[in-house]
Amino acid sequence: MIKDILKHGRIFLILVLIQVLVLNRIHFSGFINPYLYVLFLLYLPVGINRMLLMLLGFFAGMTVDIFSNTPGMHAGACVLIAFMRPVLLKAFLLKDNSNPDSCPSIHEYDIAMYIKYAVSMIVIHHSFLFLIEQFDFFYFWPTLVRILLSSVATFLLILVAQLFLNIKTDRRG
């Protein structure tokens, strides 16, 4: 139990540091903003309590908000995907005999099912974040392009991070 808390705490710290120190400074043409810290919420154990999941989502989002000077936008987006996560897990990944301690990853589940789950979570997060940031339907099409391009960039970063996380766990385990 303590080992899992430390593992997820370390993952959270690494992802948030990468996000606020590196990725928040990357803006390709104003359309691509990768948000790797979302992986923290995607990777939490399947059987985590929903209230705890939403609190962790709020904490993760608020941490990024503090460093990004965005008043609660990331917190709102993270709470939304934390709320939606159990539904998406059941829809795309979980079977009746799933281990509640397993963490959704490309190594744990079928790659096609994981892609559906991860892309859904990322698109929901980015849609909420960018629409609330813009808060104007006059720029709907540029915002839609931004959502799509940022979602693709985030997903590719998450795949690379998943490979890195697997290498780290294989060396230790």
Side-chain angles (χ1 to χ4, degrees):
M1 177 71 174
I2 299 294
K3 198 174 174 182
D4 290 336
I5 292 171
L6 291 175
K7 177 180 113 177
H8 289 289
R10 189 174 55 241
I11 290 171
F12 171 75
L13 186 64
I14 290 168
L15 292 175
V16 168
L17 283 174
I18 290 171
Q19 184 64 51
V20 299
L21 296 176
V22 178
L23 297 177
N24 278 357
R25 304 200 187 322
I26 296 175
H27 300 282
F28 297 108
S29 304
F31 283 102
I32 299 176
N33 308 96
Y35 291 107
L36 182 61
Y37 78 95
V38 174
L39 176 59
F40 171 69
L41 294 173
L42 272 71
Y43 191 68
L44 287 171
V46 170
I48 191 169
N49 178 300
R50 193 174 202 167
M51 187 58 71
L52 177 59
L53 179 64
M54 291 178 67
L55 285 172
L56 288 172
F58 176 77
F59 180 72
M62 190 53 79
T63 303
V64 173
D65 279 330
I66 288 168
F67 289 106
S68 303
N69 198 23
T70 52
M73 294 187 304
H74 290 275
C78 286
V79 168
L80 177 63
I81 63 170
F83 180 77
M84 295 296 298
R85 184 177 185 257
V87 174
L88 294 173
L89 279 172
K90 284 183 184 175
F92 296 124
L93 293 181
L94 297 183
K95 298 173 180 72
D96 293 334
N97 58 354
S98 294
N99 180 5
D101 294 330
S102 69
C103 297
S105 70
I106 58 174
H107 308 289
E108 187 77 24
Y109 294 96
D110 179 48
I111 186 84
M113 297 167 118
Y114 181 79
I115 288 172
K116 291 176 189 176
Y117 160 71
V119 167
S120 299
M121 293 276 283
I122 293 166
V123 169
I124 290 169
H125 176 271
H126 287 27
S127 297
F128 181 90
L129 182 67
F130 294 142
L131 288 173
I132 202 79
E133 180 184 66
Q134 195 61 48
F135 210 68
D136 187 2
F137 282 110
F138 183 73
Y139 298 105
F140 177 76
W141 293 112
T143 303
L144 184 63
V145 169
R146 187 173 173 204
I147 290 167
L148 294 175
L149 292 177
S150 294
S151 295
V152 168
T154 300
F155 179 71
L156 292 175
L157 277 175
I158 283 176
L159 284 180
V160 169
Q162 290 271 326
L163 293 173
F164 180 72
L165 284 173
N166 189 52
I167 290 169
K168 294 287 271 186
T169 54
D170 281 349
R171 286 185 186 163
R172 293 180 186 191

